[in-house]
Amino acid sequence: MNEGMTPEQEGARLKELLGTRNKTQFAKDAKVPGGASMLSQHLSGHRPISLSAATAYAIGLGVRVEDFSPRLAKAIADAAQTTTVQTLSPSPSPGVPVVHVPLLANAGSMGPGTDIQHDDILVGQIALSEQWVARRLQPTKLNALRFIHAYGDSMSPTFEDGDILLVDTGIKDPKIIDGVYVMAANDRVYIKRVRQRMDGVVEISSDNATVKTVDVLNGDHRIDILGRVVWCWNGRKL
């Protein structure tokens, strides 16, 4: 298969493998990041398949990633030949105290927003070194940490579509510290940069220079701050 397959070709191959399965049920059973909505976008070719989604598809379909995406299979193979993932990921050494951080199905969108799942759905846990967390992140409390996936490109290059983000849910007030926050508005979840301007206005924006979305927190609309992104699973502290 061609490693240069387009998103449309990858979507068509995924659709062939999916066959007559119910898309909504499959997305739920396979724990597809972003759920049925994201699956539909991948099938249509409107969004490239991320590595995390490809893993869920492969497990759910009982196939190999290369069966529908040679591009991602190559990325996996390349990663296996280096220590990049190990050096960027704060994984604990054997025998050290660890913190088991929940990985939630709730996803933050860096674009038009992802529908809120009103109950936190645990899809796994990631173990982190307790010492690393205390030294590098200094969270409000250890049990306030959560992992979620991010989707979209409006926060590129800070992080990319499909990246896993570590969120401190104990930080609710963006006026305390500027940064990247997960927030909910109009039953959708967003990930945006929040900063307080010199005039006191709190501004919400994207990091992607091609996306000119800028809003302000002025009380006209209800926005719930769900937490601050403190680490991206590409080795970046935010």
Side-chain angles (χ1 to χ4, degrees):
M1 295 176 69
N2 182 4
E3 291 181 0
M5 289 174 66
T6 65
E8 290 80 6
Q9 290 172 320
E10 289 184 347
R13 178 57 179 153
L14 182 60
K15 184 176 182 180
E16 181 182 344
L17 291 169
L18 191 63
T20 59
R21 292 178 178 87
N22 180 279
K23 297 182 181 64
T24 300
Q25 190 61 47
F26 171 79
K28 180 180 178 181
D29 293 342
K31 297 181 175 62
V32 175
S37 175
M38 187 61 63
L39 172 59
S40 294
Q41 293 185 58
H42 289 155
L43 290 172
S44 66
H46 290 161
R47 186 187 295 272
I49 301 173
S50 66
L51 190 54
S52 56
T55 302
Y57 294 147
I59 294 173
L61 292 168
V63 300
R64 301 170 302 171
V65 172
E66 52 263 42
D67 288 335
F68 59 88
S69 178
R71 169 182 61 87
L72 290 168
K74 184 177 185 302
I76 294 172
D78 289 346
Q81 299 301 315
T82 70
T83 59
T84 301
V85 174
Q86 294 178 350
T87 56
L88 293 183
S89 302
S91 302
S93 301
V96 304
V98 299
V99 179
H100 293 282
V101 180
L103 173 61
L104 304 180
N106 270 342
S109 171
M110 298 174 285
T114 298
D115 291 337
I116 292 177
Q117 297 174 9
H118 291 282
D119 295 316
D120 282 342
I121 301 174
L122 179 66
V123 297
Q125 291 184 331
I126 297 177
L128 303 180
S129 163
E130 186 174 313
Q131 181 182 19
W132 180 89
V133 170
R135 185 180 71 250
R136 295 294 302 275
L137 304 181
Q138 300 177 342
T140 52
K141 50 188 177 181
L142 293 179
N143 62 6
L145 294 174
R146 299 289 186 275
F147 279 108
I148 65 169
H149 286 87
Y151 299 104
D153 60 0
S154 74
M155 288 300 293
S156 176
T158 306
F159 39 81
E160 305 293 343
D161 181 43
D163 278 348
I164 298 178
L165 307 179
L166 182 57
V167 179
D168 186 343
T169 62
I171 303 177
K172 302 288 189 179
D173 186 358
K175 291 183 180 180
I176 296 177
I177 181 172
D178 293 351
V180 177
Y181 283 82
V182 182
M183 59 193 72
N186 299 314
D187 284 331
R188 300 185 79 82
V189 177
Y190 300 84
I191 301 176
K192 297 293 180 183
R193 185 167 298 281
V194 181
R195 71 180 185 93
Q196 187 172 25
R197 302 190 315 216
M198 293 184 66
D199 60 5
V201 173
V202 177
E203 181 180 274
I204 302 172
S205 62
S206 304
D207 284 1
N208 191 331
T210 65
V211 179
K212 303 300 182 182
T213 301
V214 177
D215 293 301
V216 296
L217 288 175
N218 57 11
D220 288 349
H221 307 284
R222 178 185 174 126
I223 295 180
D224 295 320
I225 303 297
L226 305 181
R228 178 173 173 263
V229 179
V230 294
W231 182 271
C232 178
W233 214 248
N234 55 21
R236 293 177 181 156
K237 181 179 178 182
L238 301 183

